[in-house]
Amino acid sequence: MTPAARSCLKIVHKLTSFLDCPEFIATHRQNECDFTRKRYLTFRNLILFLLNQPGSALQTELDQFFRVLNSAPFEKQVVTAQAFSKARHKLKPSALVALNDVLQGQLDHMDLRSTWCGLRLLGVDGSGVHLPLEQRLESFFGSHNELPVARLSLLYDLCDQQTLHGLLITPDVDERGCAAMHLEYAPDNSLLVFDRGYPAHWLFAALLQRNQHFLMRLTLKHNPAVRDFVASGQNEKTLCFACKGWLSRKVCEQAGVDPDTEVTLRLIRVLLPGGEVEVLATSLLDTQAFPATEFAGLYHRRWGIETDYRRLKQTLTLDNFSGRTATAVLQDFHAKLLLKNLAMLMQVLQQARIDQQTSHRKRDWKANFTQGVSRLKNTLVTLLVDPCPHAMECLLTLIRNSLTAIRPGRSYPRQRRRKATRGCEGYKRTR
């Protein structure tokens, strides 16, 4: 067995052990009497079904799922879609969050993490997601332009391509507020990378109070000190920032940060290929250990979290929810995060072997995510029910043989060819 297959199989074994664990079930069920009777829709089967990428009509997905689960030669209706919709409300979405925590813990335990200069490189970014047109969802999450929407925010490992923590909450919480909620999930010795929507004195102070290193992009007119730095032509400068504006001080107080706290930041000038200037602010003050020339490429790696949003929203069709309640929306969201993490794990662990088998080619290659996650449809159910070394090897071989070329340096202007659809819900696709 290859090292990648051995590592994946060990992680699958660990996840499987929790699906039938009485303590785990008791923690993540809504009521004490839930999952106590012998049913087809057990705690384990509900988790497996949510991880099986239900995208078409529920009844179709359920019939196919139980055919795979029972190794039946053909499909038959074991449970109805209405029974599933009722049973899923016994399951707390926190079960899927906890399973993702187990996965991340196993990666730490097995020493499968990558670092940059000894630091875990993490990206933080926010987005939004449109929800089914239901009044109860609008009441639970919120609305924008009279349509139900939710705030989406991720804490993402830019080296390992794992989502460590995800939030799907009311849009009343802004991106900075979400970033503060991610902090307790950021491991020690990590560097958080933010875009230019995050800089604020209270967030700088909160990060430094936690001894959390960060890198942020500032607007060229962030404050007078930044404007002077841009005008000076210097490549880097360390400055001490104080909170002076009344509004900024008020926000600090609301965030529980002393407005008199001063923060020391290192400003770095980055010249883009088009001649534009960017200003980066970082808490990494050691110019010898972290030279300024490293930060342009480092900040560019933040784009990995944008790519991860594309995986969730486009490939995994995040907004194609399988239910119309808050519980269903949260279950689908955390199930797709876990599924995406498992798919990326299987691809990243094989990158060394992919590099070896494509060394004679002109370009570098990597596993195709869309093909990889497609291979997990129904296969992941089989592996979680009966982790088999041979089946894992076959799955990883399929993923390893579906490659896409890496083309660095490509840059195209953004062009929106059509208006984004808002709240438009079509019929469920066929399988």
Side-chain angles (χ1 to χ4, degrees), residues 383-402:
L383 282 173
L384 287 172
V385 171
D386 181 22
C388 171
H390 178 68
M392 179 64 75
E393 285 282 14
C394 291
L395 172 62
L396 294 185
T397 300
L398 282 172
I399 294 174
R400 190 172 61 250
N401 290 336
S402 300

Side-chain angles (χ1 to χ4, degrees), residues 215-247:
L215 174 68
M216 290 192 192
R217 180 183 172 188
L218 304 180
T219 62
L220 301 184
K221 299 181 181 180
H222 177 73
N223 61 22
V226 173
R227 290 196 292 269
D228 292 342
F229 171 73
V230 174
S232 71
Q234 293 177 281
N235 289 328
E236 63 177 300
K237 188 176 183 180
T238 300
L239 296 173
C240 188
F241 291 85
C243 184
K244 297 180 180 179
W246 70 268
L247 181 58

Side-chain angles (χ1 to χ4, degrees), residues 127-131 148-152 168 313 318-319 321 329 333:
S127 184
V129 60
H130 293 284
L131 304 176
V149 295
R151 171 81 67 191
L152 175 60
L168 192 68
K313 290 189 172 186
L318 177 62
D319 58 356
F321 295 103
V329 165
F333 168 63

Side-chain angles (χ1 to χ4, degrees), residues 15-41:
L15 292 174
T16 303
S17 68
F18 282 88
L19 298 182
D20 294 312
C21 175
E23 292 79 10
F24 188 80
I25 294 173
T27 301
H28 300 289
R29 62 187 178 189
Q30 297 287 359
N31 300 301
E32 291 185 5
C33 59
D34 293 336
F35 303 113
T36 55
R37 301 175 65 182
K38 189 174 180 60
R39 302 284 191 182
Y40 287 112
L41 291 170

